[in-house]
Every structure is written in C-alpha cells, then in structure tokens.
C-alpha cells in the first residue's frame, strides 16, 4: 500500500514562509522522482517543482523560482518544499507526487498524496 502524506500547510501572511513535508511509505523511495503540484479553487492542478531520485536535479515553475526550494532526505523517505516570500496567489491545496521520472506533467506521476492547504492572506 503506497501512501504519500503531506503536512505543514496552514495560514500565513503575505511575505511569510512555510515548509511542507511529504512522508512516503510502501514504495522504494530512492528509485522515484518526486514532485509538488498545487490546485487553487476553480483552477487546474499545476506543476510547482520536481526533484530527481538522487536529488541532483531540480526544476521549478517560473512563478516560484527564487522563492521555493524542493529537497529530499532519502534516509527519512521524505520530500520537502520550503516556501519563502509567499504571495496571496500561492494559496492552493499542495500535493506531493511520486513517479518513475520527474517532469512538469501530472501523467508522469504514479502516486499522489491527499494534499495540504496553504492559505496566504494579504
């Protein structure tokens, strides 16, 4: 049974920071690329960031470059998303995903978490 469980979401004022965590179980974590996606009310799910199985390659959507950092700790089966300088437009449910390769497309991922809510107030 593969499970991805996100945590760390909450309410923060614009300009603030949060760190999201995603704990994985039931899969060989070190063989999977990991990604973060988000979905705001009334919008499609969109790519945020991804990281390779080794952590050696990372990619970000232009809207979060310089503000968000994705990382992973393979000894803890956990991937993180550090979010700085948050803006109201970052408000969304954030989802963790695992796949055989990393990329910006949702069909590249095989497993998904339930999501964690991030709300940024102005």
């Amino acid at each position: 049974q593969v499970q991805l469980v996100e945590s760390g979401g909450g309410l923060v004022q614009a300009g603030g920071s949060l760190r999201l965590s995603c704990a994985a179980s039931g899969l060989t974590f070190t063989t999977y690329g990991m990604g973060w996606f988000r979905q705001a009310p009334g919008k499609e799910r969109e790519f945020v960031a991804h990281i390779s199985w080794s952590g050696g390659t990372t990619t970000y959507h232009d809207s979060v470059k310089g503000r968000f950092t994705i990382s992973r700790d393979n000894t803890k089966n956990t991937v993180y998303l550090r979010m700085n300088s948050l803006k109201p437009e970052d408000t969304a449910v954030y989802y963790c995903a695992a796949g055989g390769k990393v990329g910006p497309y949702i069909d590249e991922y095989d497993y998904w978490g339930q999501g964690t809510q991030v709300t940024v107030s102005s």
Side-chain angles (χ1 to χ4, degrees), residues 8-67:
L11 175 65
V12 64
Q13 293 185 0
S17 299
L18 287 172
R19 189 182 75 161
L20 307 183
S21 298
C22 172
S25 62
L27 77 167
T28 305
F29 184 74
T30 55
T31 67
Y32 284 85
M34 302 294 295
W36 285 97
F37 292 76
R38 66 187 182 186
Q39 188 166 20
K43 294 187 176 181
E44 298 294 317
R45 190 168 299 187
E46 68 175 2
F47 165 75
V48 176
H50 62 73
I51 187 168
S52 65
W53 66 269
S54 67
T57 302
T58 60
T59 304
Y60 300 90
H61 190 273
D62 285 344
S63 65
V64 305
K65 284 182 179 177
R67 299 190 298 122

Side-chain angles (χ1 to χ4, degrees), residues 56-105:
T57 302
T58 60
T59 304
Y60 300 90
H61 190 273
D62 285 344
S63 65
V64 305
K65 284 182 179 177
R67 299 190 298 122
F68 291 11
T69 303
I70 188 171
S71 62
R72 66 190 295 163
D73 185 343
N74 288 344
T75 69
K76 299 180 179 179
N77 288 356
T78 301
V79 63
Y80 305 95
L81 185 69
R82 178 68 181 181
M83 305 183 293
N84 295 324
S85 301
L86 283 162
K87 305 174 181 179
E89 51 263 45
D90 295 318
T91 296
V93 177
Y94 283 71
Y95 297 91
C96 174
K101 63 179 181 180
V102 295
Y105 304 107

